[in-house]
PDB file of all heavy atoms in Angstrom:
ATOM      1  N   ASN A 247      78.512  87.309  65.019  1.00  0.00           N
ATOM      2  CA  ASN A 247      77.911  88.489  65.648  1.00  0.00           C
ATOM      3  C   ASN A 247      78.597  88.924  66.942  1.00  0.00           C
ATOM      4  O   ASN A 247      78.190  89.911  67.555  1.00  0.00           O
ATOM      5  CB  ASN A 247      76.447  88.231  65.963  1.00  0.00           C
ATOM      6  CG  ASN A 247      75.603  88.150  64.703  1.00  0.00           C
ATOM      7  OD1 ASN A 247      76.006  88.632  63.652  1.00  0.00           O
ATOM      8  ND2 ASN A 247      74.461  87.517  64.812  1.00  0.00           N
ATOM      9  N   ASP A 248      79.603  88.199  67.361  1.00  0.00           N
ATOM     10  CA  ASP A 248      80.231  88.493  68.642  1.00  0.00           C
ATOM     11  C   ASP A 248      81.175  89.689  68.566  1.00  0.00           C
ATOM     12  O   ASP A 248      81.931  89.835  67.610  1.00  0.00           O
ATOM     13  CB  ASP A 248      81.021  87.293  69.152  1.00  0.00           C
ATOM     14  CG  ASP A 248      80.139  86.189  69.675  1.00  0.00           C
ATOM     15  OD1 ASP A 248      78.961  86.465  69.980  1.00  0.00           O
ATOM     16  OD2 ASP A 248      80.622  85.049  69.791  1.00  0.00           O
ATOM     17  N   TYR A 249      81.147  90.494  69.601  1.00  0.00           N
ATOM     18  CA  TYR A 249      82.135  91.538  69.813  1.00  0.00           C
ATOM     19  C   TYR A 249      83.101  91.084  70.904  1.00  0.00           C
ATOM     20  O   TYR A 249      82.796  90.174  71.670  1.00  0.00           O
ATOM     21  CB  TYR A 249      81.464  92.843  70.241  1.00  0.00           C
ATOM     22  CG  TYR A 249      80.931  93.637  69.086  1.00  0.00           C
ATOM     23  CD1 TYR A 249      79.762  93.265  68.445  1.00  0.00           C
ATOM     24  CD2 TYR A 249      81.620  94.753  68.619  1.00  0.00           C
ATOM     25  CE1 TYR A 249      79.276  93.979  67.374  1.00  0.00           C
ATOM     26  CE2 TYR A 249      81.144  95.481  67.543  1.00  0.00           C
ATOM     27  CZ  TYR A 249      79.971  95.086  66.917  1.00  0.00           C
ATOM     28  OH  TYR A 249      79.505  95.791  65.846  1.00  0.00           O
ATOM     29  N   TYR A 253      87.506  94.232  80.147  1.00  0.00           N
ATOM     30  CA  TYR A 253      87.166  94.927  81.379  1.00  0.00           C
ATOM     31  C   TYR A 253      88.383  94.912  82.303  1.00  0.00           C
ATOM     32  O   TYR A 253      89.206  93.999  82.266  1.00  0.00           O
ATOM     33  CB  TYR A 253      85.995  94.249  82.094  1.00  0.00           C
ATOM     34  CG  TYR A 253      84.655  94.514  81.470  1.00  0.00           C
ATOM     35  CD1 TYR A 253      84.197  93.765  80.390  1.00  0.00           C
ATOM     36  CD2 TYR A 253      83.838  95.521  81.960  1.00  0.00           C
ATOM     37  CE1 TYR A 253      82.964  94.014  79.820  1.00  0.00           C
ATOM     38  CE2 TYR A 253      82.595  95.773  81.400  1.00  0.00           C
ATOM     39  CZ  TYR A 253      82.179  95.015  80.327  1.00  0.00           C
ATOM     40  OH  TYR A 253      80.946  95.263  79.767  1.00  0.00           O
ATOM     41  N   GLN A 255      89.378  95.287  86.485  1.00  0.00           N
ATOM     42  CA  GLN A 255      88.810  95.264  87.815  1.00  0.00           C
ATOM     43  C   GLN A 255      89.888  95.453  88.875  1.00  0.00           C
ATOM     44  O   GLN A 255      90.847  94.688  88.952  1.00  0.00           O
ATOM     45  CB  GLN A 255      88.056  93.960  88.088  1.00  0.00           C
ATOM     46  CG  GLN A 255      87.308  93.964  89.423  1.00  0.00           C
ATOM     47  CD  GLN A 255      86.468  92.731  89.651  1.00  0.00           C
ATOM     48  OE1 GLN A 255      86.773  91.649  89.153  1.00  0.00           O
ATOM     49  NE2 GLN A 255      85.397  92.880  90.410  1.00  0.00           N
ATOM     50  N   SER A 258      88.106  95.404  95.337  1.00  0.00           N
ATOM     51  CA  SER A 258      86.991  96.083  96.016  1.00  0.00           C
ATOM     52  C   SER A 258      86.153  96.950  95.085  1.00  0.00           C
ATOM     53  O   SER A 258      85.410  97.819  95.553  1.00  0.00           O
ATOM     54  CB  SER A 258      87.494  96.959  97.185  1.00  0.00           C
ATOM     55  OG  SER A 258      88.244  96.202  98.094  1.00  0.00           O
ATOM     56  N   GLN A 259      86.281  96.741  93.786  1.00  0.00           N
ATOM     57  CA  GLN A 259      85.461  97.492  92.841  1.00  0.00           C
ATOM     58  C   GLN A 259      84.851  96.552  91.809  1.00  0.00           C
ATOM     59  O   GLN A 259      85.340  95.441  91.588  1.00  0.00           O
ATOM     60  CB  GLN A 259      86.291  98.558  92.125  1.00  0.00           C
ATOM     61  CG  GLN A 259      86.815  99.651  93.038  1.00  0.00           C
ATOM     62  CD  GLN A 259      87.531 100.745  92.262  1.00  0.00           C
ATOM     63  OE1 GLN A 259      87.299 100.917  91.067  1.00  0.00           O
ATOM     64  NE2 GLN A 259      88.391 101.479  92.939  1.00  0.00           N
ATOM     65  N   GLY A 260      83.790  97.027  91.158  1.00  0.00           N
ATOM     66  CA  GLY A 260      83.221  96.259  90.068  1.00  0.00           C
ATOM     67  C   GLY A 260      84.057  96.411  88.808  1.00  0.00           C
ATOM     68  O   GLY A 260      84.846  97.351  88.678  1.00  0.00           O
ATOM     69  N   PRO A 261      83.921  95.497  87.854  1.00  0.00           N
ATOM     70  CA  PRO A 261      84.664  95.610  86.593  1.00  0.00           C
ATOM     71  C   PRO A 261      84.332  96.906  85.864  1.00  0.00           C
ATOM     72  O   PRO A 261      83.193  97.392  85.928  1.00  0.00           O
ATOM     73  CB  PRO A 261      84.186  94.393  85.793  1.00  0.00           C
ATOM     74  CG  PRO A 261      83.706  93.412  86.819  1.00  0.00           C
ATOM     75  CD  PRO A 261      83.127  94.256  87.904  1.00  0.00           C
ATOM     76  N   PHE A 263      84.588  98.923  82.107  1.00  0.00           N
ATOM     77  CA  PHE A 263      84.770  98.774  80.662  1.00  0.00           C
ATOM     78  C   PHE A 263      86.035  99.503  80.223  1.00  0.00           C
ATOM     79  O   PHE A 263      86.284 100.649  80.597  1.00  0.00           O
ATOM     80  CB  PHE A 263      83.550  99.354  79.944  1.00  0.00           C
ATOM     81  CG  PHE A 263      83.710  99.459  78.449  1.00  0.00           C
ATOM     82  CD1 PHE A 263      83.442  98.379  77.648  1.00  0.00           C
ATOM     83  CD2 PHE A 263      84.113 100.654  77.858  1.00  0.00           C
ATOM     84  CE1 PHE A 263      83.573  98.472  76.265  1.00  0.00           C
ATOM     85  CE2 PHE A 263      84.241 100.760  76.489  1.00  0.00           C
ATOM     86  CZ  PHE A 263      83.973  99.670  75.692  1.00  0.00           C
ATOM     87  N   GLN A 266      86.258  97.960  73.391  1.00  0.00           N
ATOM     88  CA  GLN A 266      85.481  96.950  72.672  1.00  0.00           C
ATOM     89  C   GLN A 266      85.781  97.043  71.190  1.00  0.00           C
ATOM     90  O   GLN A 266      85.963  98.142  70.660  1.00  0.00           O
ATOM     91  CB  GLN A 266      83.986  97.152  72.914  1.00  0.00           C
ATOM     92  CG  GLN A 266      83.080  96.102  72.297  1.00  0.00           C
ATOM     93  CD  GLN A 266      81.628  96.380  72.621  1.00  0.00           C
ATOM     94  OE1 GLN A 266      81.013  97.283  72.064  1.00  0.00           O
ATOM     95  NE2 GLN A 266      81.073  95.606  73.545  1.00  0.00           N
ATOM     96  N   TYR A 304      89.827  91.260  82.165  1.00  0.00           N
ATOM     97  CA  TYR A 304      88.965  90.202  81.637  1.00  0.00           C
ATOM     98  C   TYR A 304      88.684  90.433  80.151  1.00  0.00           C
ATOM     99  O   TYR A 304      88.384  91.557  79.736  1.00  0.00           O
ATOM    100  CB  TYR A 304      87.616  90.181  82.361  1.00  0.00           C
ATOM    101  CG  TYR A 304      87.676  89.820  83.816  1.00  0.00           C
ATOM    102  CD1 TYR A 304      87.680  90.811  84.790  1.00  0.00           C
ATOM    103  CD2 TYR A 304      87.690  88.494  84.229  1.00  0.00           C
ATOM    104  CE1 TYR A 304      87.710  90.488  86.137  1.00  0.00           C
ATOM    105  CE2 TYR A 304      87.727  88.159  85.577  1.00  0.00           C
ATOM    106  CZ  TYR A 304      87.735  89.167  86.513  1.00  0.00           C
ATOM    107  OH  TYR A 304      87.767  88.838  87.847  1.00  0.00           O
ATOM    108  N   ALA A 309      77.800  89.481  73.391  1.00  0.00           N
ATOM    109  CA  ALA A 309      76.892  90.576  73.030  1.00  0.00           C
ATOM    110  C   ALA A 309      76.030  90.165  71.853  1.00  0.00           C
ATOM    111  O   ALA A 309      75.448  90.986  71.204  1.00  0.00           O
ATOM    112  CB  ALA A 309      77.632  91.874  72.723  1.00  0.00           C
ATOM    113  N   GLY A 310      75.932  88.892  71.620  1.00  0.00           N
ATOM    114  CA  GLY A 310      75.002  88.382  70.621  1.00  0.00           C
ATOM    115  C   GLY A 310      73.738  87.925  71.306  1.00  0.00           C
ATOM    116  O   GLY A 310      73.159  88.639  72.094  1.00  0.00           O
ATOM    117  N   SER A 311      73.311  86.711  71.057  1.00  0.00           N
ATOM    118  CA  SER A 311      72.064  86.233  71.649  1.00  0.00           C
ATOM    119  C   SER A 311      72.273  85.632  73.023  1.00  0.00           C
ATOM    120  O   SER A 311      71.349  85.091  73.600  1.00  0.00           O
ATOM    121  CB  SER A 311      71.437  85.183  70.728  1.00  0.00           C
ATOM    122  OG  SER A 311      72.322  84.097  70.570  1.00  0.00           O
ATOM    123  N   TYR A 312      73.438  85.717  73.558  1.00  0.00           N
ATOM    124  CA  TYR A 312      73.688  85.189  74.890  1.00  0.00           C
ATOM    125  C   TYR A 312      74.560  86.173  75.650  1.00  0.00           C
ATOM    126  O   TYR A 312      75.110  87.087  75.081  1.00  0.00           O
ATOM    127  CB  TYR A 312      74.359  83.819  74.825  1.00  0.00           C
ATOM    128  CG  TYR A 312      75.617  83.808  73.999  1.00  0.00           C
ATOM    129  CD1 TYR A 312      76.845  84.139  74.565  1.00  0.00           C
ATOM    130  CD2 TYR A 312      75.580  83.467  72.663  1.00  0.00           C
ATOM    131  CE1 TYR A 312      77.993  84.147  73.799  1.00  0.00           C
ATOM    132  CE2 TYR A 312      76.721  83.479  71.893  1.00  0.00           C
ATOM    133  CZ  TYR A 312      77.926  83.812  72.466  1.00  0.00           C
ATOM    134  OH  TYR A 312      79.055  83.813  71.699  1.00  0.00           O
ATOM    135  N   ILE A 313      74.661  85.951  76.954  1.00  0.00           N
ATOM    136  CA  ILE A 313      75.397  86.877  77.806  1.00  0.00           C
ATOM    137  C   ILE A 313      76.869  86.501  77.833  1.00  0.00           C
ATOM    138  O   ILE A 313      77.208  85.342  78.053  1.00  0.00           O
ATOM    139  CB  ILE A 313      74.843  86.855  79.230  1.00  0.00           C
ATOM    140  CG1 ILE A 313      73.345  87.111  79.196  1.00  0.00           C
ATOM    141  CG2 ILE A 313      75.555  87.885  80.098  1.00  0.00           C
ATOM    142  CD1 ILE A 313      72.966  88.409  78.524  1.00  0.00           C
ATOM    143  N   PRO A 314      77.751  87.475  77.643  1.00  0.00           N
ATOM    144  CA  PRO A 314      79.186  87.178  77.731  1.00  0.00           C
ATOM    145  C   PRO A 314      79.530  86.597  79.097  1.00  0.00           C
ATOM    146  O   PRO A 314      78.974  87.010  80.109  1.00  0.00           O
ATOM    147  CB  PRO A 314      79.838  88.539  77.548  1.00  0.00           C
ATOM    148  CG  PRO A 314      78.827  89.359  76.832  1.00  0.00           C
ATOM    149  CD  PRO A 314      77.505  88.881  77.326  1.00  0.00           C
ATOM    150  N   PHE A 316      82.349  85.734  82.023  1.00  0.00           N
ATOM    151  CA  PHE A 316      83.659  86.088  82.545  1.00  0.00           C
ATOM    152  C   PHE A 316      84.447  84.824  82.858  1.00  0.00           C
ATOM    153  O   PHE A 316      83.927  83.881  83.444  1.00  0.00           O
ATOM    154  CB  PHE A 316      83.525  86.893  83.843  1.00  0.00           C
ATOM    155  CG  PHE A 316      83.122  88.325  83.644  1.00  0.00           C
ATOM    156  CD1 PHE A 316      81.786  88.666  83.480  1.00  0.00           C
ATOM    157  CD2 PHE A 316      84.076  89.339  83.640  1.00  0.00           C
ATOM    158  CE1 PHE A 316      81.413  89.984  83.312  1.00  0.00           C
ATOM    159  CE2 PHE A 316      83.709  90.657  83.471  1.00  0.00           C
ATOM    160  CZ  PHE A 316      82.377  90.981  83.302  1.00  0.00           C
ATOM    161  N   GLY A 317      85.743  84.820  82.471  1.00  0.00           N
ATOM    162  CA  GLY A 317      86.650  83.780  82.920  1.00  0.00           C
ATOM    163  C   GLY A 317      87.343  84.252  84.188  1.00  0.00           C
ATOM    164  O   GLY A 317      86.826  85.120  84.902  1.00  0.00           O
ATOM    165  N   ARG A 318      88.513  83.698  84.468  1.00  0.00           N
ATOM    166  CA  ARG A 318      89.247  84.077  85.671  1.00  0.00           C
ATOM    167  C   ARG A 318      90.048  85.361  85.472  1.00  0.00           C
ATOM    168  O   ARG A 318      90.501  85.976  86.415  1.00  0.00           O
ATOM    169  CB  ARG A 318      90.174  82.959  86.104  1.00  0.00           C
ATOM    170  CG  ARG A 318      89.440  81.676  86.467  1.00  0.00           C
ATOM    171  CD  ARG A 318      90.413  80.648  86.973  1.00  0.00           C
ATOM    172  NE  ARG A 318      90.890  80.978  88.314  1.00  0.00           N
ATOM    173  CZ  ARG A 318      90.382  80.500  89.432  1.00  0.00           C
ATOM    174  NH1 ARG A 318      89.361  79.669  89.374  1.00  0.00           N
ATOM    175  NH2 ARG A 318      90.875  80.832  90.612  1.00  0.00           N
TER     176      ARG A 318
ATOM    177  N   ARG B 252      76.884  98.452 100.965  1.00  0.00           N
ATOM    178  CA  ARG B 252      78.206  98.176 100.444  1.00  0.00           C
ATOM    179  C   ARG B 252      78.803  96.933 101.107  1.00  0.00           C
ATOM    180  O   ARG B 252      79.463  96.144 100.460  1.00  0.00           O
ATOM    181  CB  ARG B 252      79.102  99.383 100.699  1.00  0.00           C
ATOM    182  CG  ARG B 252      80.432  99.303 100.001  1.00  0.00           C
ATOM    183  CD  ARG B 252      80.331  99.822  98.564  1.00  0.00           C
ATOM    184  NE  ARG B 252      81.673 100.073  98.056  1.00  0.00           N
ATOM    185  CZ  ARG B 252      82.420  99.162  97.422  1.00  0.00           C
ATOM    186  NH1 ARG B 252      81.944  97.939  97.219  1.00  0.00           N
ATOM    187  NH2 ARG B 252      83.626  99.476  96.989  1.00  0.00           N
ATOM    188  N   TYR B 278      75.376  89.686  89.271  1.00  0.00           N
ATOM    189  CA  TYR B 278      76.483  88.737  89.213  1.00  0.00           C
ATOM    190  C   TYR B 278      76.929  88.415  90.638  1.00  0.00           C
ATOM    191  O   TYR B 278      76.841  89.244  91.548  1.00  0.00           O
ATOM    192  CB  TYR B 278      77.682  89.333  88.480  1.00  0.00           C
ATOM    193  CG  TYR B 278      77.566  89.390  86.968  1.00  0.00           C
ATOM    194  CD1 TYR B 278      76.895  90.428  86.337  1.00  0.00           C
ATOM    195  CD2 TYR B 278      78.176  88.416  86.172  1.00  0.00           C
ATOM    196  CE1 TYR B 278      76.818  90.485  84.953  1.00  0.00           C
ATOM    197  CE2 TYR B 278      78.106  88.471  84.794  1.00  0.00           C
ATOM    198  CZ  TYR B 278      77.425  89.507  84.193  1.00  0.00           C
ATOM    199  OH  TYR B 278      77.353  89.565  82.820  1.00  0.00           O
ATOM    200  N   GLN B 280      80.434  87.244  92.582  1.00  0.00           N
ATOM    201  CA  GLN B 280      81.870  87.063  92.396  1.00  0.00           C
ATOM    202  C   GLN B 280      82.501  86.560  93.685  1.00  0.00           C
ATOM    203  O   GLN B 280      82.571  87.286  94.677  1.00  0.00           O
ATOM    204  CB  GLN B 280      82.551  88.361  91.947  1.00  0.00           C
ATOM    205  CG  GLN B 280      84.030  88.172  91.613  1.00  0.00           C
ATOM    206  CD  GLN B 280      84.662  89.383  90.985  1.00  0.00           C
ATOM    207  OE1 GLN B 280      84.226  90.513  91.179  1.00  0.00           O
ATOM    208  NE2 GLN B 280      85.720  89.172  90.217  1.00  0.00           N
ATOM    209  N   GLY B 283      88.767  85.606  94.007  1.00  0.00           N
ATOM    210  CA  GLY B 283      89.700  84.912  93.131  1.00  0.00           C
ATOM    211  C   GLY B 283      89.107  84.398  91.839  1.00  0.00           C
ATOM    212  O   GLY B 283      89.810  83.821  91.021  1.00  0.00           O
ATOM    213  N   GLN B 284      87.804  84.616  91.669  1.00  0.00           N
ATOM    214  CA  GLN B 284      87.140  84.142  90.455  1.00  0.00           C
ATOM    215  C   GLN B 284      86.533  85.310  89.694  1.00  0.00           C
ATOM    216  O   GLN B 284      86.376  86.408  90.234  1.00  0.00           O
ATOM    217  CB  GLN B 284      86.043  83.134  90.813  1.00  0.00           C
ATOM    218  CG  GLN B 284      86.552  81.892  91.522  1.00  0.00           C
ATOM    219  CD  GLN B 284      85.443  80.921  91.828  1.00  0.00           C
ATOM    220  OE1 GLN B 284      84.350  80.986  91.253  1.00  0.00           O
ATOM    221  NE2 GLN B 284      85.704  79.977  92.723  1.00  0.00           N
ATOM    222  N   GLY B 285      86.176  85.063  88.454  1.00  0.00           N
ATOM    223  CA  GLY B 285      85.485  86.066  87.671  1.00  0.00           C
ATOM    224  C   GLY B 285      84.016  86.116  88.060  1.00  0.00           C
ATOM    225  O   GLY B 285      83.486  85.188  88.670  1.00  0.00           O
ATOM    226  N   PRO B 286      83.332  87.204  87.745  1.00  0.00           N
ATOM    227  CA  PRO B 286      81.905  87.298  88.064  1.00  0.00           C
ATOM    228  C   PRO B 286      81.089  86.225  87.345  1.00  0.00           C
ATOM    229  O   PRO B 286      81.363  85.907  86.186  1.00  0.00           O
ATOM    230  CB  PRO B 286      81.530  88.695  87.556  1.00  0.00           C
ATOM    231  CG  PRO B 286      82.813  89.457  87.497  1.00  0.00           C
ATOM    232  CD  PRO B 286      83.849  88.434  87.124  1.00  0.00           C
ATOM    233  N   GLN B 291      69.388  87.909  84.716  1.00  0.00           N
ATOM    234  CA  GLN B 291      69.338  89.051  83.810  1.00  0.00           C
ATOM    235  C   GLN B 291      67.887  89.450  83.584  1.00  0.00           C
ATOM    236  O   GLN B 291      67.034  88.610  83.307  1.00  0.00           O
ATOM    237  CB  GLN B 291      69.974  88.712  82.471  1.00  0.00           C
ATOM    238  CG  GLN B 291      69.924  89.835  81.456  1.00  0.00           C
ATOM    239  CD  GLN B 291      70.074  89.351  80.039  1.00  0.00           C
ATOM    240  OE1 GLN B 291      70.223  88.163  79.786  1.00  0.00           O
ATOM    241  NE2 GLN B 291      70.046  90.263  79.084  1.00  0.00           N
ATOM    242  N   TRP B 341      70.125  94.587  74.971  1.00  0.00           N
ATOM    243  CA  TRP B 341      70.677  93.250  75.033  1.00  0.00           C
ATOM    244  C   TRP B 341      70.641  92.656  73.641  1.00  0.00           C
ATOM    245  O   TRP B 341      69.680  92.845  72.910  1.00  0.00           O
ATOM    246  CB  TRP B 341      69.839  92.391  75.980  1.00  0.00           C
ATOM    247  CG  TRP B 341      70.178  90.943  75.962  1.00  0.00           C
ATOM    248  CD1 TRP B 341      71.359  90.371  76.325  1.00  0.00           C
ATOM    249  CD2 TRP B 341      69.323  89.886  75.563  1.00  0.00           C
ATOM    250  NE1 TRP B 341      71.283  89.024  76.177  1.00  0.00           N
ATOM    251  CE2 TRP B 341      70.049  88.694  75.715  1.00  0.00           C
ATOM    252  CE3 TRP B 341      68.015  89.819  75.100  1.00  0.00           C
ATOM    253  CZ2 TRP B 341      69.511  87.448  75.417  1.00  0.00           C
ATOM    254  CZ3 TRP B 341      67.470  88.586  74.806  1.00  0.00           C
ATOM    255  CH2 TRP B 341      68.220  87.421  74.959  1.00  0.00           C
ATOM    256  N   GLY B 342      71.709  91.961  73.317  1.00  0.00           N
ATOM    257  CA  GLY B 342      71.728  91.333  72.024  1.00  0.00           C
ATOM    258  C   GLY B 342      72.394  92.212  70.977  1.00  0.00           C
ATOM    259  O   GLY B 342      72.704  93.369  71.195  1.00  0.00           O
ATOM    260  N   GLN B 343      72.597  91.647  69.837  1.00  0.00           N
ATOM    261  CA  GLN B 343      73.365  92.303  68.790  1.00  0.00           C
ATOM    262  C   GLN B 343      72.518  93.301  68.015  1.00  0.00           C
ATOM    263  O   GLN B 343      71.406  92.998  67.606  1.00  0.00           O
ATOM    264  CB  GLN B 343      73.905  91.251  67.819  1.00  0.00           C
ATOM    265  CG  GLN B 343      74.709  91.820  66.675  1.00  0.00           C
ATOM    266  CD  GLN B 343      75.959  92.508  67.150  1.00  0.00           C
ATOM    267  OE1 GLN B 343      76.603  92.069  68.087  1.00  0.00           O
ATOM    268  NE2 GLN B 343      76.294  93.623  66.543  1.00  0.00           N
ATOM    269  N   GLY B 347      76.009  97.527  64.454  1.00  0.00           N
ATOM    270  CA  GLY B 347      76.376  98.423  65.537  1.00  0.00           C
ATOM    271  C   GLY B 347      77.276  97.744  66.544  1.00  0.00           C
ATOM    272  O   GLY B 347      77.661  96.597  66.371  1.00  0.00           O
ATOM    273  N   SER B 348      77.598  98.424  67.612  1.00  0.00           N
ATOM    274  CA  SER B 348      78.471  97.846  68.634  1.00  0.00           C
ATOM    275  C   SER B 348      77.662  97.004  69.593  1.00  0.00           C
ATOM    276  O   SER B 348      76.443  97.136  69.693  1.00  0.00           O
ATOM    277  CB  SER B 348      79.211  98.943  69.398  1.00  0.00           C
ATOM    278  OG  SER B 348      78.285  99.754  70.090  1.00  0.00           O
ATOM    279  N   GLY B 349      78.345  96.133  70.280  1.00  0.00           N
ATOM    280  CA  GLY B 349      77.699  95.324  71.287  1.00  0.00           C
ATOM    281  C   GLY B 349      77.251  96.184  72.451  1.00  0.00           C
ATOM    282  O   GLY B 349      77.693  97.304  72.616  1.00  0.00           O
ATOM    283  N   THR B 351      77.466  97.478  75.844  1.00  0.00           N
ATOM    284  CA  THR B 351      78.440  97.510  76.928  1.00  0.00           C
ATOM    285  C   THR B 351      77.739  97.402  78.268  1.00  0.00           C
ATOM    286  O   THR B 351      76.717  98.037  78.498  1.00  0.00           O
ATOM    287  CB  THR B 351      79.257  98.804  76.861  1.00  0.00           C
ATOM    288  OG1 THR B 351      79.873  98.890  75.584  1.00  0.00           O
ATOM    289  CG2 THR B 351      80.310  98.826  77.951  1.00  0.00           C
ATOM    290  N   ILE B 352      78.294  96.585  79.138  1.00  0.00           N
ATOM    291  CA  ILE B 352      77.732  96.375  80.466  1.00  0.00           C
ATOM    292  C   ILE B 352      78.503  97.232  81.465  1.00  0.00           C
ATOM    293  O   ILE B 352      79.726  97.201  81.484  1.00  0.00           O
ATOM    294  CB  ILE B 352      77.812  94.890  80.860  1.00  0.00           C
ATOM    295  CG1 ILE B 352      77.045  94.034  79.849  1.00  0.00           C
ATOM    296  CG2 ILE B 352      77.245  94.672  82.265  1.00  0.00           C
ATOM    297  CD1 ILE B 352      77.207  92.543  80.076  1.00  0.00           C
ATOM    298  N   PHE B 354      79.099  98.219  85.485  1.00  0.00           N
ATOM    299  CA  PHE B 354      78.965  97.601  86.799  1.00  0.00           C
ATOM    300  C   PHE B 354      78.922  98.613  87.928  1.00  0.00           C
ATOM    301  O   PHE B 354      79.520  99.683  87.847  1.00  0.00           O
ATOM    302  CB  PHE B 354      80.143  96.655  87.066  1.00  0.00           C
ATOM    303  CG  PHE B 354      80.075  95.371  86.287  1.00  0.00           C
ATOM    304  CD1 PHE B 354      80.500  95.323  84.977  1.00  0.00           C
ATOM    305  CD2 PHE B 354      79.575  94.221  86.874  1.00  0.00           C
ATOM    306  CE1 PHE B 354      80.434  94.145  84.245  1.00  0.00           C
ATOM    307  CE2 PHE B 354      79.505  93.031  86.157  1.00  0.00           C
ATOM    308  CZ  PHE B 354      79.936  93.000  84.842  1.00  0.00           C
ATOM    309  N   GLY B 355      78.247  98.237  89.001  1.00  0.00           N
ATOM    310  CA  GLY B 355      78.303  98.992  90.240  1.00  0.00           C
ATOM    311  C   GLY B 355      79.515  98.576  91.047  1.00  0.00           C
ATOM    312  O   GLY B 355      80.304  97.731  90.630  1.00  0.00           O
ATOM    313  N   GLU B 356      79.667  99.167  92.240  1.00  0.00           N
ATOM    314  CA  GLU B 356      80.817  98.890  93.092  1.00  0.00           C
ATOM    315  C   GLU B 356      80.695  97.531  93.782  1.00  0.00           C
ATOM    316  O   GLU B 356      81.687  96.990  94.254  1.00  0.00           O
ATOM    317  CB  GLU B 356      80.963  99.987  94.147  1.00  0.00           C
ATOM    318  CG  GLU B 356      81.296 101.349  93.573  1.00  0.00           C
ATOM    319  CD  GLU B 356      82.694 101.392  93.006  1.00  0.00           C
ATOM    320  OE1 GLU B 356      83.663 101.379  93.779  1.00  0.00           O
ATOM    321  OE2 GLU B 356      82.840 101.443  91.764  1.00  0.00           O
ATOM    322  N   TRP B 359      79.386  93.586  99.371  1.00  0.00           N
ATOM    323  CA  TRP B 359      80.200  92.507  99.918  1.00  0.00           C
ATOM    324  C   TRP B 359      79.416  91.785 101.001  1.00  0.00           C
ATOM    325  O   TRP B 359      79.017  92.395 101.988  1.00  0.00           O
ATOM    326  CB  TRP B 359      81.485  93.095 100.507  1.00  0.00           C
ATOM    327  CG  TRP B 359      82.424  93.608  99.477  1.00  0.00           C
ATOM    328  CD1 TRP B 359      82.259  94.694  98.659  1.00  0.00           C
ATOM    329  CD2 TRP B 359      83.693  93.066  99.145  1.00  0.00           C
ATOM    330  NE1 TRP B 359      83.338  94.851  97.841  1.00  0.00           N
ATOM    331  CE2 TRP B 359      84.248  93.860  98.113  1.00  0.00           C
ATOM    332  CE3 TRP B 359      84.428  91.984  99.615  1.00  0.00           C
ATOM    333  CZ2 TRP B 359      85.491  93.600  97.545  1.00  0.00           C
ATOM    334  CZ3 TRP B 359      85.682  91.729  99.053  1.00  0.00           C
ATOM    335  CH2 TRP B 359      86.189  92.533  98.037  1.00  0.00           C
TER     336      TRP B 359
END
Side-chain angles (χ1 to χ4, degrees):
Chain A
N247 290 340
D248 286 341
Y249 278 76
Y253 284 84
Q255 187 175 29
S258 304
Q259 295 185 22
F263 171 85
Q266 184 179 75
Y304 295 98
S311 60
Y312 54 87
I313 306 303
F316 284 83
R318 298 184 73 96
Chain B
R252 190 85 165 90
Y278 284 83
Q280 186 172 26
Q284 299 181 18
Q291 178 201 0
W341 171 63
Q343 179 64 37
S348 63
T351 303
I352 301 173
F354 286 82
E356 295 291 288
W359 290 68

